[in-house]
Amino acid sequence: MLVGLVFAGQARAEVEFNELFLKKGDAPVELKYFERGSAVPPGNYDVDVYLNGTMVKRQTVLFRGEQDGEVKPAISLGMLKTLGVDIPRLTKEQRIPVGTDDGWLVDMPALADGASVSFDVNTLSLRLSVPQAYVLRTARGYVDPSLWDDGVTAAYTNYQVNVSRNTGTGSGNSNYQYLNLRSGLNVGGWRFRNESSYTNSTGTNGRFSINRSYAEHAVRSINGKAAVGELYSSGEIFDSVRFIGAQVSSDLGMLPENELGFAPVVRGIAESNAVVEVRQNGYVIHSVTVPPGAFEISDIYPSGSNGDLQVRIIEADGRVRTFSQPYSYLPVMIRQGGIRYSFAAGEYRVKGESRPKFMQGTLVYGLSADFTGYGGLIAAQNYGAINLGVGLNTRFGGLSLDVTHSRSQAQGRTSQGQSVRFQYSKTLNATDTTFTMAGYRYSSDGYRTFGQHVEDTDRTGDRTIYERQKNRFDINVNQSLSNGGSLFASFGETSYWNRPGSNRSFQFGYSGAYRNISYSVAMSRTQDAGSYGSANTQFSASISIPLGKSTRSHRFYTSAVSSLHSDTNVQAGVSGSLNDSNTINYSVQTGYNNRSGGSGGGSLGWDTPVSQLSASYNQDRYSKHMDVGAAGSLVVHRGGVTFGQTLGETFAVAAVPEVSGVGISGTTARTDWRGYAVVPYLQPYRHNWLTVDTATIGTDTEIAENSKSVVPTRGAIVKTSFAAESGRRVQFDLTRDRAGKIPFGAQAYDENGKVVGMVDNQSRLLVFGIKDQGSIDVRWGDGGCKVNYRLQPQNKALTYERQSVRCALDMSIGAN
């Protein structure tokens, strides 16, 4: 069998097959295309197209049969344009005729010295090679703006529901409910967004709050976006504040190199089945139920780019522990010539505080490969602040240093001062050590942030209603180890001008594995300046062992949590998956607590194509604890209403019209009864390949093109459709009017001239999607015949049906 085909202008050596190796019986052989070096017969094929070794796109390409019998791909001028070939230069050098349209077929070897095209039939890869001088120079990751897709008009909502109930003989009953909604409406290039939540617990009144509502639109000419509504100012230079107004800022996703922002990871230790609640600027932005032991939460969506996270751990018995986690940018550094900007104007808006109007502008510019300059300005009534800073790229790591000067008037008194900020980031490749964030800030007594100025203005008498930072130091370190394990450590300390003591937090953890056995240990220590020196120290350890040799085996696990000033909790149990697709997971455990004695419980999670469901129950001597949760999405579009899993900011609606149960590779999504599925996470301004999972397609369905690329703009809801053909799959056993078999390799065509199959060496023809009654033309080198057929009623239990038919002489072609 031939595994490749090369068209490069070289001398072609014809190959002659010995037909006796292929014959079984008296069927002749028709292999003229293969004898002339071709890997496929003429027809249309879906192939991956590569340019100079890089995959660019997947598309249908026509392979044409030449007069000499060789089969070549039809490379059009339009295809070369979309691949990034410099057509104007080739035209200027008269390698392409002036005025040639996109449909003109290109002879690759004649296009330029070294140009060639090859085809690998095993991987369906069409590889084009063009001298680099004739390829347009684009930055890595660049996608031509002409391919950006604003998507369709549609609306959606993400929902997350958590319900907890505790019943106890001593502490009484308590309930906790949380609902989070992230909703949106897309109309053209406009994105209308709303973030809302509802919280309710025993002893408090349920409250539904709207975190923010805003509208946003991309501004392509300045690689940015404009927004209006309830927004958060940029926190890269100044502290981010919540306001109502308008903002224009750069969108890094539009640039060739997408610089991702810092994503916070919240770590801690729970002493029981607890609810972890994360707040920012007074609003709940995340809530999740966790089991006893160390936890790590990385799927948090902060609203602003600055503003510390307040973490509340609500234990099963009602005890609440809180700590603050720093959240800010890494060092301010961008590439040479790069620019980041943000301009905002509006009214300061924080619960229970006054609402001064303000303006803010920030600018970051890459002066050289190793030097970045930046600064900003805030102007408001009785308040002003200016910032200047530099970022340096050195062999010791990336660092930035800036100074902010503020002047404020409040309560008849003028305050002014400075704040110095230093930030550092470094990865030591030799030891694989990463300082994910290290920062230090010193603020003088008279320095005020904009938020502190507002609080000063609202102050009554001499009462201080906020804490003014003096020093703050934060560091996070991650260390990979040679045995596959890893260490993490974080430390933070903050001192204040207007109160004694310091807030300190320290976390340390190690995780590793020996063969299929995994284990981890962690420690957490927090101290609040307001607790007069008392500190809370916790320890946790866990180990997980597979029950069997398979990587999908159920696992036995045990964990222990101990606190110096509270409980000691030990648990052991079994967890695993209940189905082959790992979408239904369970856990059953028993435990012991030094105060409540023995306990037991279980949990169940189900990742369905349209939601994520979870439930757990735990009971000890004194109390019972139950959690129920659900998360998912609902999308309203022109094709109807489609349910799916939790969505990111940019996603797709994939359609396989009227075919249900079809999966999209890499997701749990399945098409509904109308043929729609939601693909939840796409990267804006980049190629995203959506591929149909062929294992989920029935034998009576074929997808003409099972992979497509989409390039959504930020926040877009793009829609793509996969043409599906449903029909009967039939194997015809062919005989000729005169004795003998149909030649091996003969082509079969339907009534519209479409190739439907090839005859094998047993004179059999397998076809798909044909009518219940019709005709098929079978052709070979110097002859042909026609099949007139009528199928019996379909038997859907069969993968394919068989029918013997006679192929009558076709006088228009001639007889063999």
Side-chain angles (χ1 to χ4, degrees):
M1 178 180 179
L2 295 179
V3 297
L5 177 63
V6 176
F7 310 91
Q10 74 270 28
R12 185 185 73 250
E14 293 189 2
V15 178
E16 182 175 343
F17 286 86
N18 187 338
E19 297 181 5
L20 295 179
F21 287 107
L22 300 174
K23 285 185 177 181
K24 184 178 181 180
D26 57 354
V29 178
E30 172 63 26
L31 297 173
K32 69 174 184 178
Y33 295 119
F34 302 106
E35 288 178 334
R36 288 163 174 77
S38 302
V40 292
N44 291 306
Y45 298 90
D46 295 329
V47 298
D48 293 332
V49 183
Y50 290 76
L51 178 64
N52 293 347
T54 301
M55 180 180 173
V56 180
K57 63 191 305 185
R58 179 172 295 173
Q59 72 176 69
T60 301
V61 175
L62 172 65
F63 283 70
R64 296 159 39 110
E66 304 292 331
Q67 291 184 352
D68 61 359
E70 187 176 0
V71 180
K72 293 183 178 180
I75 308 299
S76 67
L77 186 64
M79 178 191 292
L80 295 183
K81 284 183 179 179
T82 62
L83 295 178
V85 176
D86 193 346
I87 302 301
R89 179 171 179 174
L90 289 167
T91 303
K92 183 178 180 180
E93 295 183 5
Q94 298 182 353
R95 295 178 182 271
I96 295 176
V98 177
T100 303
D101 61 30
D102 288 350
W104 185 65
L105 296 182
V106 178
D107 181 3
M108 290 295 294
L111 184 68
D113 294 338
S116 65
V117 56
S118 64
F119 177 61
D120 186 341
V121 69
N122 287 333
T123 60
L124 291 180
S125 300
L126 184 63
R127 299 180 179 272
L128 280 68
S129 179
V130 176
Q132 198 64 34
Y134 299 107
V135 178
L136 295 172
R137 288 170 174 79
T138 57
R140 182 166 56 92
Y142 174 79
V143 177
D144 193 299
S146 64
L147 301 177
W148 294 356
D149 186 356
D150 281 328
V152 299
T153 298
Y156 73 92
T157 186
N158 271 314
Y159 63 87
Q160 179 194 354
V161 181
N162 288 329
V163 177
S164 301
R165 178 175 176 81
N166 295 293
T167 60
T169 57
S171 58
N173 300 336
S174 63
N175 300 308
Y176 175 83
Q177 297 93 34
Y178 171 74
L179 169 66
N180 178 266
L181 298 174
R182 292 189 295 114
S183 307
L185 169 66
N186 285 12
V187 179
W190 282 100
R191 317 285 184 241
F192 301 92
R193 298 293 184 261
N194 174 268
E195 299 172 7
S196 305
S197 65
Y198 172 83
T199 57
N200 185 26
S201 60
T202 301
T204 64
N205 295 323
R207 181 175 182 180
F208 182 84
S209 61
I210 297 177
N211 187 354
R212 61 172 178 159
S213 300
Y214 65 96
E216 187 175 87
H217 196 288
V219 186
R220 301 188 182 191
S221 59
I222 57 175
N223 287 332
K225 55 187 177 181
V228 61
E230 297 172 288
L231 307 169
Y232 287 84
S233 64
S234 170
E236 187 171 19
I237 296 175
F238 299 109
D239 284 357
S240 178
V241 299
R242 176 186 169 86
F243 71 99
I244 291 182
Q247 183 168 242
V248 178
S249 58
S250 55
D251 188 341
L252 299 180
M254 294 184 179
L255 304 177
E257 290 294 340
N258 190 6
E259 301 178 19
L260 300 176
F262 175 67
V265 177
V266 173
R267 293 186 175 96
I269 297 175
E271 298 175 4
S272 62
N273 292 282
V275 174
V276 178
E277 199 176 72
V278 182
R279 295 173 179 262
Q280 187 184 41
N281 299 300
Y283 293 89
V284 178
I285 63 173
H286 193 82
S287 178
V288 65
T289 301
V290 298
F295 61 82
E296 181 178 294
I297 305 172
S298 58
D299 57 340
I300 298 177
Y301 299 90
S303 299
S305 52
N306 203 310
D308 292 352
L309 305 178
Q310 292 78 43
V311 183
R312 300 176 72 228
I313 303 175
I314 307 170
E315 301 288 355
D317 59 3
R319 289 179 295 117
V320 178
R321 293 181 289 111
T322 63
F323 65 90
S324 178
Q325 174 160 320
Y327 168 51
S328 63
Y329 270 104
L330 292 171
V332 182
M333 286 290 300
I334 60 174
R335 294 174 181 271
Q336 181 176 359
I339 187 171
R340 290 205 298 259
Y341 61 87
S342 175
F343 302 98
E347 183 181 86
Y348 182 87
R349 186 66 62 90
V350 173
K351 289 181 180 179
E353 298 183 14
S354 58
R355 302 176 177 181
K357 294 179 173 58
F358 78 102
M359 296 179 63
Q360 174 180 314
T362 63
L363 183 68
V364 182
Y365 183 73
L367 297 170
S368 70
D370 299 317
F371 188 84
T372 297
Y374 59 92
L377 178 70
I378 298 179
Q381 184 178 4
N382 298 323
Y383 180 82
I386 186 170
N387 172 282
L388 289 175
V390 295
L392 298 174
N393 180 34
T394 73
R395 63 189 182 92
F396 303 106
L399 56 91
S400 62
L401 176 69
D402 59 70
V403 179
T404 304
H405 176 81
S406 73
R407 186 177 189 276
S408 65
Q409 292 181 337
Q411 305 292 333
R413 183 173 60 186
T414 300
S415 300
Q416 59 181 342
Q418 293 79 35
S419 180
V420 180
R421 181 180 63 165
F422 171 79
Q423 296 182 102
Y424 173 78
S425 177
K426 173 65 175 177
T427 297
L428 303 176
N429 293 324
T431 59
D432 199 13
T433 304
T434 302
F435 295 90
T436 55
M437 182 176 71
Y440 173 78
R441 165 168 264 172
Y442 170 80
S443 301
S444 63
D445 189 27
Y447 175 76
R448 302 289 189 273
T449 66
F450 185 35
Q452 290 171 345
H453 162 72
V454 175
E455 292 179 322
D456 261 355
T457 303
D458 295 341
R459 185 182 55 181
T460 58
D462 293 330
R463 186 171 64 90
T464 300
I465 58 175
Y466 66 91
E467 300 164 343
R468 288 186 288 108
Q469 288 184 6
K470 180 179 181 181
N471 290 289
R472 170 172 160 175
F473 175 73
D474 304 300
I475 185 169
N476 287 275
V477 182
N478 289 273
Q479 173 68 61
S480 297
L481 303 177
S482 59
N483 61 357
S486 64
L487 287 167
F488 77 85
S490 65
F491 175 77
E493 181 177 47
T494 305
S495 62
Y496 303 88
W497 281 104
N498 53 345
R499 77 171 191 182
S502 300
N503 286 349
R504 293 189 181 93
S505 65
F506 175 74
Q507 294 179 342
F508 171 83
Y510 169 77
S511 61
Y514 175 73
R515 296 183 178 177
N516 289 330
I517 300 174
S518 59
Y519 50 90
S520 66
V521 294
M523 186 197 78
S524 173
R525 179 179 175 85
T526 59
Q527 178 177 335
D528 192 331
S531 61
Y532 302 100
S534 64
N536 185 19
T537 303
Q538 297 171 294
F539 301 90
S540 74
S542 66
I543 187 170
S544 176
I545 303 172
L547 301 177
K549 296 182 179 180
S550 170
T551 56
R552 292 187 57 255
S553 296
H554 302 268
R555 300 183 74 90
F556 167 80
Y557 66 91
T558 182
S559 64
V561 178
S562 179
S563 174
L564 294 183
H565 300 290
S566 187
D567 299 354
T568 296
N569 192 307
V570 180
Q571 282 196 337
V574 178
S575 64
S577 179
L578 298 177
N579 62 345
D580 292 336
S581 58
N582 292 324
T583 57
I584 303 177
N585 302 289
Y586 77 95
S587 175
V588 179
Q589 73 275 340
T590 183
Y592 175 80
N593 183 278
N594 64 325
R595 290 198 304 173
S596 59
S599 64
S603 64
L604 187 67
W606 185 16
D607 284 352
T608 76
V610 297
S611 64
Q612 295 171 297
L613 306 175
S614 63
S616 66
Y617 176 83
N618 290 274
Q619 179 177 345
D620 59 29
R621 185 188 308 172
Y622 304 109
S623 65
K624 301 176 183 177
H625 179 83
M626 181 183 69
D627 290 299
V628 178
S633 63
L634 178 153
V635 182
V636 182
H637 53 97
R638 182 171 297 180
V641 178
T642 303
F643 294 88
Q645 292 209 344
T646 302
L647 304 171
E649 66 168 356
T650 307
F651 61 93
V653 176
V656 186
E658 299 182 0
V659 182
S660 63
V662 177
I664 305 298
S665 296
T667 74
T668 60
R670 294 289 186 272
T671 55
D672 59 17
W673 63 276
R674 291 185 306 270
Y676 292 102
V678 178
V679 183
Y681 296 100
L682 299 183
Q683 187 178 11
Y685 306 108
R686 293 296 180 267
H687 283 290
N688 297 263
W689 288 95
L690 306 182
T691 303
V692 171
D693 183 358
T694 55
T696 62
I697 302 174
T699 58
D700 60 346
T701 303
E702 282 192 354
I703 305 293
E705 185 178 4
N706 72 336
S707 186
K708 290 190 175 182
S709 174
V710 294
V711 184
T713 55
R714 187 173 302 280
I717 305 173
V718 293
K719 189 174 182 180
T720 187
S721 184
F722 297 89
E725 184 178 359
S726 297
R728 303 175 68 172
R729 195 180 303 273
V730 181
Q731 176 183 291
F732 289 113
D733 295 316
L734 305 177
T735 58
R736 297 170 61 183
D737 286 336
R738 295 178 292 179
K741 302 291 185 179
I742 307 298
F744 176 28
Q747 298 289 303
Y749 302 82
D750 65 11
E751 295 167 335
N752 298 319
K754 176 184 175 182
V755 176
V756 294
M758 178 189 294
V759 178
D760 70 6
N761 64 331
Q762 296 293 303
S763 197
R764 297 173 301 195
L765 173 65
L766 184 65
V767 296
F768 171 80
I770 60 174
K771 302 176 182 178
D772 290 343
Q773 180 178 349
S775 62
I776 296 175
D777 290 332
V778 182
R779 304 172 189 172
W780 56 93
D782 53 359
C785 59
K786 175 175 287 189
V787 174
N788 293 305
Y789 66 90
R790 181 190 297 271
L791 300 178
Q792 299 295 323
Q794 184 177 6
N795 183 353
K796 294 186 177 181
L798 299 176
T799 301
Y800 63 91
E801 302 167 80
R802 297 185 63 177
Q803 183 170 332
S804 296
V805 294
R806 183 174 295 276
C807 194
L809 178 65
D810 189 342
M811 298 301 296
S812 64
I813 300 177
N816 184 9

